[in-house]
Amino acid sequence: MEVKEFRELSVKELDEKLYDLRAQLFELRRKKAVGQLEHGEEIRAVRKDIAKAETVKREKELNITK
């Protein structure tokens, strides 16, 4: 997801998206541990999406607009 797409979400929607992303990251890490993960770059992409969502959430808390 792009940062722009995260900025369009409300704080509640961001929280839900973060929950889903963390669950997805957990599942990817589990698959990696058992050797079922084919594309390791998926973990990196999910981690970056989590960071983007956390950044936008913090911007909204501080009322920073871009």
Side-chain angles (χ1 to χ4, degrees):
M1 265 182 109
E2 297 285 327
V3 176
K4 180 180 174 183
E5 295 170 4
F6 284 117
R7 286 195 175 113
E8 293 171 356
L9 300 175
S10 69
V11 176
K12 184 177 179 182
E13 291 171 330
L14 272 172
D15 286 336
E16 292 171 3
K17 186 68 176 173
L18 277 167
Y19 181 82
D20 293 340
L21 287 169
R22 288 189 176 120
Q24 183 180 359
L25 181 62
F26 176 80
E27 189 62 28
L28 288 171
R29 285 180 175 164
R30 186 194 63 76
K31 283 183 179 181
K32 182 180 179 184
V34 248
Q36 293 178 344
L37 187 63
E38 294 179 13
H39 304 287
E41 63 271 5
E42 292 176 35
I43 292 176
R44 184 175 180 199
V46 172
R47 286 179 52 215
K48 284 187 173 192
D49 281 346
I50 290 172
K52 290 175 194 175
E54 286 285 351
T55 302
V56 171
K57 183 178 174 187
R58 183 66 177 153
E59 285 176 354
K60 288 182 183 267
E61 288 174 0
L62 296 175
N63 291 325
I64 298 174
T65 56
K66 290 192 178 186

